[in-house]
């Protein structure tokens, strides 16, 4: 239901409350004044009329509340939902995330969030292979993808790949593998030392290749 329509109906309900109170008071006053014994004192008659009028207000409002209670709850829930949506919108805008103007923009935002989520999950779970939490725990060094995977650039031609899979018991398992340009076979990584053992020979071979090339260029 649109907010404008809801506000109009809410105003009518508020007006109905006032009408109910007036009707109850009037009915009680008429009943009290009409059926009060005329032989009794006039001041007591006036006081009794007022008491009956208050009783009429109570009866009328009680009946009206019981009838309108479901409708009031519906509007109250809608108001709470609107307030929550407005709060979420303000929070998103405060974080610099604009409210999407259409489905295409929403898809772009969710895709960006999925990539960031994957990068952060890779960094957060990296303590499993790097307890130092100095190198691989920085989410800014990870490149996340919408499929939940992420890569960490280590050196030219060498990246660390992250993926998450569920085992036969439905428990998520974090997997880290080393990918190199000269060998397409993923190498499982269970310790940061595994990365070091791969990079050191590469660095040594690169240095040897440079030493072999330099004399011929002189």
């Amino acid at each position: 239901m649109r907010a404008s329509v809801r506000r109009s109906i809410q105003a009518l309900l508020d007006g109905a409350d006032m009408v109910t109170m007036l009707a109850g008071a009037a009915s009680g006053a008429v009943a009290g004044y009409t059926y009060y014994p005329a032989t009794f004192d006039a001041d007591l008659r006036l006081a009794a009329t007022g008491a009956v009028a208050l009783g009429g207000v109570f009866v009328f409002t009680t009946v009206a509340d019981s009838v309108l209670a479901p409708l009031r709850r519906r509007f109250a829930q809608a108001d709470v939902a609107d307030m929550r949506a407005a709060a979420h919108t303000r929070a998103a805008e405060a974080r610099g995330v604009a409210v999407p103007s259409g489905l295409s923009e929403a898809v772009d935002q969710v895709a960006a969030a999925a990539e960031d989520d994957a990068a952060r999950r890779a960094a957060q779970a990296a303590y499993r292979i790097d307890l130092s939490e100095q190198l691989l725990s920085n989410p800014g060094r990870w490149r996340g993808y919408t499929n939940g995977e992420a890569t960490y650039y280590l050196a030219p031609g060498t990246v660390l790949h992250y993926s998450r899979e569920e085992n036969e018991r439905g428990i998520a398992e974090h997997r880290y593998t080393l990918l190199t340009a000269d060998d397409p076979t993923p190498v499982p990584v269970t310790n940061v030392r595994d990365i070091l053992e791969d990079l050191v020979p590469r660095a040594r071979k690169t240095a040897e290749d440079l030493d072999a090339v330099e004399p011929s260029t002189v």
Side-chain angles (χ1 to χ4, degrees), residues 10-173:
Q10 185 64 51
L12 292 176
L13 290 176
D14 294 338
D17 290 339
M18 182 61 66
V19 172
T20 301
M21 293 177 63
L22 292 175
S27 299
V30 170
Y33 190 84
T34 301
Y35 295 104
Y36 191 84
T39 57
F40 285 10
D41 183 82
D43 293 337
L44 291 177
R45 185 177 187 179
L46 184 61
T49 299
V52 176
L54 291 176
V57 171
F58 175 76
V59 172
F60 273 57
T61 54
T62 300
V63 173
D65 286 343
S66 63
V67 173
L68 298 176
L71 188 58
R72 293 184 188 279
R73 283 196 297 269
R74 180 180 177 183
F75 281 110
Q77 292 171 353
D79 289 339
V80 171
D82 284 348
M83 288 188 292
R84 287 178 177 173
H88 291 164
T89 298
R90 289 193 297 270
E93 290 175 347
R95 293 193 300 268
V97 181
V99 177
S101 59
L103 184 59
S104 178
E105 187 175 349
V107 170
D108 292 340
Q109 289 186 356
V110 174
E115 294 175 355
D116 184 63
D117 177 79
R120 292 181 181 277
R121 288 181 185 274
Q124 186 177 36
Y127 72 90
R128 290 173 169 80
I129 61 173
D130 181 15
L131 289 177
S132 70
E133 296 187 355
Q134 296 181 10
L135 181 66
L136 304 178
S137 60
N138 180 6
R141 290 285 304 273
W142 286 92
R143 170 70 170 90
Y145 303 93
T146 55
N147 62 355
E149 299 179 1
T151 54
Y152 186 104
Y153 176 82
L154 290 168
T158 306
V159 297
L160 183 65
H161 180 262
Y162 164 82
S163 63
R164 188 178 62 165
E165 300 176 1
E166 290 187 355
N167 58 23
E168 62 277 2
R169 292 176 295 178
I171 301 176
E173 293 184 348

Side-chain angles (χ1 to χ4, degrees), residues 149-203:
E149 299 179 1
T151 54
Y152 186 104
Y153 176 82
L154 290 168
T158 306
V159 297
L160 183 65
H161 180 262
Y162 164 82
S163 63
R164 188 178 62 165
E165 300 176 1
E166 290 187 355
N167 58 23
E168 62 277 2
R169 292 176 295 178
I171 301 176
E173 293 184 348
H174 303 273
R175 303 182 184 277
Y176 292 87
T177 55
L178 202 62
L179 302 177
T180 59
D182 55 352
D183 187 353
T185 304
V187 178
V189 175
T190 58
N191 191 295
V192 70
R193 185 176 60 253
D194 297 336
I195 301 174
L196 183 64
E197 291 176 353
D198 181 88
L199 290 181
V200 168
R202 291 175 181 278

